[in-house]
């Protein structure tokens, strides 16, 4: 389960980065903001999984 969540976090981060880049390139502020939000969501998920790993060991 943890591996699946870590993968999900990486996917959210990558998707967010892509959205932010495309949004910036075409001047779409909403898309850019959505990209930043997705990245933040991925960062939060990744931090949660890292915390779980610390307490497992």
């Amino acid at each position: 389960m943890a591996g699946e969540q870590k993968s999900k976090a990486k996917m959210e981060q990558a998707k967010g980065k892509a959205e932010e880049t495309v949004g910036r390139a075409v001047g779409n502020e909403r898309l850019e903001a959505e990209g930043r939000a997705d990245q933040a969501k991925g960062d939060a998920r990744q931090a949660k999984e890292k915390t779980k790993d610390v307490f497992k060991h």
Side-chain angles (χ1 to χ4, degrees):
M1 183 64 134
E4 180 181 323
Q5 293 300 314
K6 287 179 185 177
S7 294
K8 225 180 218 185
K10 291 289 184 190
M11 286 181 1
E12 284 174 338
Q13 290 168 330
K15 177 184 172 216
K17 186 66 174 170
E19 283 180 339
E20 182 181 8
T21 301
V22 169
R24 187 175 300 130
V26 298
N28 186 330
E29 290 180 15
R30 191 185 72 163
L31 185 60
E32 193 175 340
E34 286 176 10
R36 283 193 301 271
D38 283 343
Q39 286 182 69
K41 196 163 70 170
D43 291 344
R45 186 184 305 271
Q46 186 175 35
K48 181 178 110 183
E49 291 305 315
K50 284 183 179 181
T51 302
K52 282 183 183 177
D53 288 346
V54 166
F55 287 107
K56 282 184 182 177
H57 298 283

